[in-house]
Amino acid sequence: MDTNRILLLLAVVLPLLAAPVIALAGRSLGRRVGWFAFAFPVVSVAVLLLLAARMGLPGSLVIEWPWIPSLGINFSFLLDGLSLFFALIVSGVGVLVFFYANFYLDDHHEHHGRFYCYLTLFMAAMLGTVLANNLMLLFVFWELTGLASFLLIGFLHHEEKSRVGARQALLLTGFTGLLLLAGVIMVWQVTGTYDLATLLGSGLPLAEHKDWLTVAMLLMLLGAFGKSAQFPLHFWLPNAMAAPTPVSAYLHSATMVKLGVFLCARVFPLFVENELWAPVLAAVAFSTMLFGAVLALWSHDLKAILAYSTVSQLGYLIGYYGLGPLQGVEYDFLHILNHVFYKGCLFMVAGIVIHATGVQDIRQLGGLRRRMPWLAGICLVAAATMAGFPGTTGFLSKETMLKEIFEAMNGHGALGAYATACVVLTSLVKVAFSFRFFANLFLGDETEAVKAHFHAPPLAVQLPPLLLAGAALLLGVWPGLLAAPFHWLTVEGLHQPTPPLSLWHGVTRELLVSVAVVLLGFGVFILGQRTAWRWAAIPRALRFDDFFERGLELFSKFTKWLTRFLRADKPVDYLPVIIAFMLSVVGGFMVLALRPVLGELATRWEWNMLAPHPLRSFVAALISLAVIGVLLLRRWTTQLILLSVAGFLTTFYYVLYRAPDLALTQILIEVVTLFLILILLGRFPRSAELGEIVHRPSPLRKKLNVVLSLGVGVLMTTFILWFNAAPHENRLGRFFAENTVELAQGSNTVNTILVDFRGFDTLGEITVLLIAMLGGIGLLMRYKRTAAEYREGPLGQPGMGIQHSEEKLK
């Protein structure tokens, strides 16, 4: 194994494998397990930097291990400027968040090991997603991030808002992730590969498969919109603030919400020429940008303000790729990096304030500059970066953003004009809530809430936001420091040559608009202060999360009604519904298919196959007698014995056809089923025997059962006769028999089909059985007989217990 492979394993696989170890270590280490977990993001950062130095940027490197090569699915990773940029952000901010969490989470928090396990798993899943070269592997890690975020958001599961936020995040991102999977499969059907490096090198046949690939593009974009909280799927992100603050800082600044941005950047070279690329991305993303900014201005919760501002900025980052020119974009990394700096910093500041004061409503805060002067300075720099003040990366980002959006307005007509209006209005609103965030926390007089609950935070917890604010200030003053890294991270097809950044470009249209935006935004802030922000409230009509929860409740009620209507909770009543539906659909299609070719099939049928075989006929007759006995006899014990006899005779029938594997499987199933039924009946209450007395089927129901049973028999017999009359030329069984040794390295065809050719199918069946078994064990363990049930009388004997139960039923 070469050095690059080992380094990649250390960066991605090591934290993935370490997650359960961290959870176990938390039992003995307690709070100190955080420092053990802290080592893994540090290792990832160091290894990724070493990989970048070894591969020689700009350029790309593919590292691959086979997984399911027959389906084109491999453990394949692509290291280029885009993947390394996002991977370094994920692991770099991870270092700060892990350090911050070690001081933020005090001894009152429980399950430190579990928390750092989830956080490490989250980081590993993010790294796997951004580094994946195989689209299927990308999807697997994509969904793993959703699972890890569900665990993190719902970490404080004793709180209702945590459970609601986790559920919303899982359902929305999980559903849109399935849409992404559909888009990936559609791309594979056209190109025959999941390999991103191959797709980026050869491009997509957009002209030959325009409609098909357009649908694939839209499905993949829906996956990105769900992950990056674009309108109208934005509401899960503010509710994710129920998670502990380290999670919020990580999730909003560097990880999951950036995946939609990453996906748009990754597929930009593939779909940018599609005529719907720009309209869809621009319309959705820039609308989200303005909508999120307004909601941030109307919010009063510290985390909600930052959450909605994240929704707004994500809208711009995605829309930026929508209006990007065909030859590539220029400053996408600057905009993303700027958001990482100020948003990660402000979330950590908000967490420190909430931890120190116990207050999360911005209207109840103020005057904290005297108690936390260092934190006030950090927040001032971060808020200035968010507002786009000179001397910060926010100013560089805003100036280039205005320049690019004005150019897009000339090239995209009405769409460009709409995007420009959204950007300018959003910038104005962002200035207003940036002023508010800093002033209402640190300026003015201390409130009673602050005086009553304040306790000074440790200086160490302020170090991570200090580093982020310092980076925003340093690179804002000396933007030339970014020139070399951005050049190294250039990706062919995504980027065009980038002009160097500078603080002063003269008096330009962008500068004048920027000055006007700051002045008007400050005016909105003054208006809010003088009116005590009484007008700032999110209208109920815009609370999409309430509509979502209401929809879930209605869906739950509908499913319960449908269950009662179809009698799905009554297996004895539901089974005829299923069988009748099957006979109607399958039987109807069979009649339509057989009618034109019935005569031809009759002439091709080999009637000698119906010649009776003495021993087989005898066994079949015994099976029939056993089944008839089940129908005629009434006691359940006798019926159970006869069913078992029919099953064991079926085993012998398989032996006569020289199928020992099927025979062994059948006998195992019969034995296990018999024991399970006996155990289950033994756990029933004594009154269950009354089923023989008060629950006899009506004559009409008996006739229906006979008709359905005969219908199933006729249907299956017709199937067998049809398939034997018109066998397929390329029999699947012949393929398995001929290739079992070469492809599956086994001589037993049945075994190789189960564990190799259809291995995933078998795994799914085992999983279903395991879940059913655990559910059954849980039900059995919860049931306990009461003393009254024991006094009802022995099961199966017409004693006082049954008489007493009959009287109760009457």
Side-chain angles (χ1 to χ4, degrees), residues 343-398:
K343 191 52 60 68
C345 177
L346 289 176
F347 260 109
M348 292 180 184
V349 168
I352 295 172
V353 170
I354 295 170
H355 196 281
T357 64
V359 179
Q360 203 159 325
D361 192 324
I362 197 171
R363 295 168 295 185
Q364 301 177 22
L365 293 167
L368 291 174
R369 71 186 184 280
R370 301 181 185 89
R371 294 182 180 267
M372 296 184 288
W374 280 97
L375 195 67
I378 293 170
C379 185
L380 177 63
V381 173
T385 304
M386 183 164 64
F389 274 51
T392 66
T393 53
F395 177 76
L396 302 174
S397 176
K398 185 169 67 173

Side-chain angles (χ1 to χ4, degrees), residues 511-731:
L511 180 62
L512 295 177
V513 171
S514 183
V515 171
V517 162
V518 171
L519 293 176
L520 292 174
F522 183 73
V524 173
F525 164 71
I526 294 298
L527 174 64
Q529 292 293 99
R530 291 184 175 179
T531 59
W533 300 93
R534 288 188 296 270
W535 48 270
I538 299 177
R540 189 173 184 82
L542 298 181
R543 293 302 304 262
F544 286 63
D545 53 341
D546 291 342
F547 297 137
F548 181 79
E549 290 300 316
R550 199 173 304 161
L552 288 181
E553 292 178 5
L554 292 175
F555 179 73
S556 177
K557 291 179 180 179
F558 169 75
T559 54
K560 291 178 180 178
W561 171 85
L562 187 63
T563 299
R564 290 193 298 268
F565 177 76
L566 295 177
R567 310 285 290 178
D569 56 340
K570 306 286 186 182
V572 175
D573 297 333
Y574 188 51
L575 188 60
V577 175
I578 297 177
I579 295 176
F581 179 79
M582 181 193 71
L583 290 175
S584 301
V585 176
V586 180
F589 277 105
M590 184 182 294
V591 171
L592 294 176
L594 283 176
R595 183 180 297 175
V597 296
L598 192 58
E600 180 184 353
L601 291 177
T603 59
R604 294 171 56 183
W605 173 254
E606 298 179 8
W607 294 98
N608 59 346
M609 294 185 63
L610 296 179
H613 185 281
L615 189 54
R616 293 174 188 168
S617 301
F618 178 69
V619 174
L622 292 178
I623 295 173
S624 302
L625 290 175
V627 173
I628 293 172
V630 172
L631 297 176
L632 297 179
L633 299 176
R634 294 184 177 182
R635 295 189 62 81
W636 66 266
T637 50
T638 312
Q639 292 174 335
L640 180 60
I641 293 173
L642 289 175
L643 276 177
S644 300
V645 169
F648 285 112
L649 288 173
T650 304
T651 302
F652 186 58
Y653 200 78
Y654 289 148
V655 173
L656 295 178
Y657 271 97
R658 299 179 181 179
D661 294 323
L662 290 177
L664 289 174
T665 304
Q666 177 70 20
I667 196 170
L668 179 63
I669 291 175
E670 287 297 328
V671 172
V672 172
T673 304
L674 178 61
F675 275 104
L676 286 176
I677 293 176
L678 290 174
I679 293 173
L680 184 64
L681 291 175
R683 301 290 295 184
F684 276 4
R686 300 298 186 252
S687 57
E689 185 72 9
L690 292 174
E692 296 182 1
I693 302 174
V694 297
H695 294 296
R696 293 179 180 177
S698 64
L700 181 61
R701 178 62 179 274
K702 288 183 178 180
K703 294 178 182 179
L704 176 63
N705 292 342
V706 170
V707 171
L708 292 177
S709 302
L710 293 175
V712 172
V714 171
L715 180 68
M716 298 309 299
T717 303
T718 307
F719 259 128
I720 295 172
L721 296 176
W722 185 9
F723 292 154
N724 282 281
H728 197 276
E729 296 180 0
N730 300 318
R731 301 290 292 270

Side-chain angles (χ1 to χ4, degrees), residues 97-118:
V97 169
F98 275 72
F99 183 89
Y100 176 84
N102 274 284
F103 294 95
Y104 185 86
L105 299 178
D106 52 29
D107 294 328
H108 297 292
H109 284 80
E110 298 180 356
H111 309 298
H112 285 81
R114 187 186 303 171
F115 175 81
Y116 288 105
C117 166
Y118 298 161

Side-chain angles (χ1 to χ4, degrees), residues 119-408:
L119 203 60
T120 306
L121 176 65
F122 192 39
M123 183 190 74
M126 280 295 306
L127 290 173
T129 305
V130 299
L131 292 171
N133 179 50
N134 189 282
L135 285 173
M136 272 296 178
L137 184 64
L138 183 149
F139 168 75
V140 171
F141 280 114
W142 181 284
E143 290 300 285
L144 187 58
T145 61
L147 177 61
S149 66
F150 168 77
L151 297 173
L152 285 170
I153 297 169
F155 182 72
L156 304 175
H157 52 81
H158 57 278
E159 299 180 3
E160 175 67 19
K161 61 180 182 179
S162 296
R163 298 194 297 270
V164 171
R167 182 178 62 212
Q168 289 181 0
L170 181 67
L171 291 178
L172 279 172
T173 60
F175 174 73
T176 53
L178 294 178
L179 298 181
L180 169 64
L181 174 63
V184 166
I185 293 175
M186 292 180 72
V187 170
W188 170 78
Q189 288 183 322
V190 170
T191 62
T193 181
Y194 294 113
D195 191 82
L196 269 171
T198 302
L199 294 173
L200 293 172
S202 60
L204 295 178
L206 295 175
E208 295 84 351
H209 304 275
K210 178 182 177 182
D211 295 337
W212 185 265
L213 289 176
T214 296
V215 174
M217 179 195 74
L218 294 175
L219 290 172
M220 296 179 76
L221 289 181
L222 285 173
F225 292 162
K227 212 71 161 182
S228 287
Q230 297 300 285
F231 180 86
L233 306 175
H234 64 282
F235 57 88
W236 72 264
L237 191 55
N239 287 327
M241 295 304 94
T245 298
V247 175
S248 303
Y250 203 22
L251 187 141
H252 281 256
S253 64
T255 51
M256 194 171 80
V257 296
K258 291 289 196 304
L259 280 185
V261 179
F262 165 78
L263 183 64
C264 291
R266 182 54 85 193
V267 301
F268 176 88
L270 301 178
F271 294 113
V272 66
E273 297 181 5
N274 189 288
E275 60 185 14
L276 289 182
W277 172 265
V280 171
L281 280 181
V284 173
F286 286 109
S287 299
T288 303
M289 182 185 187
L290 179 58
F291 183 70
V294 172
L295 293 183
L297 185 67
W298 286 346
S299 298
H300 303 295
D301 184 280
L302 286 180
K303 284 189 172 184
I305 294 172
L306 297 177
Y308 283 119
S309 70
T310 297
V311 171
S312 174
Q313 187 65 15
L314 291 173
Y316 173 71
L317 294 176
I318 289 180
Y320 179 82
Y321 290 108
L323 296 184
L326 296 179
Q327 60 270 27
V329 297
E330 294 179 346
Y331 297 108
D332 56 337
F333 287 168
L334 171 64
H335 302 312
I336 295 170
L337 195 63
N338 173 61
H339 183 250
V340 169
F341 287 155
Y342 76 76
K343 191 52 60 68
C345 177
L346 289 176
F347 260 109
M348 292 180 184
V349 168
I352 295 172
V353 170
I354 295 170
H355 196 281
T357 64
V359 179
Q360 203 159 325
D361 192 324
I362 197 171
R363 295 168 295 185
Q364 301 177 22
L365 293 167
L368 291 174
R369 71 186 184 280
R370 301 181 185 89
R371 294 182 180 267
M372 296 184 288
W374 280 97
L375 195 67
I378 293 170
C379 185
L380 177 63
V381 173
T385 304
M386 183 164 64
F389 274 51
T392 66
T393 53
F395 177 76
L396 302 174
S397 176
K398 185 169 67 173
E399 291 293 295
T400 55
M401 175 177 66
L402 291 172
K403 175 178 178 293
E404 290 163 333
I405 203 68
F406 288 146
E407 293 175 354

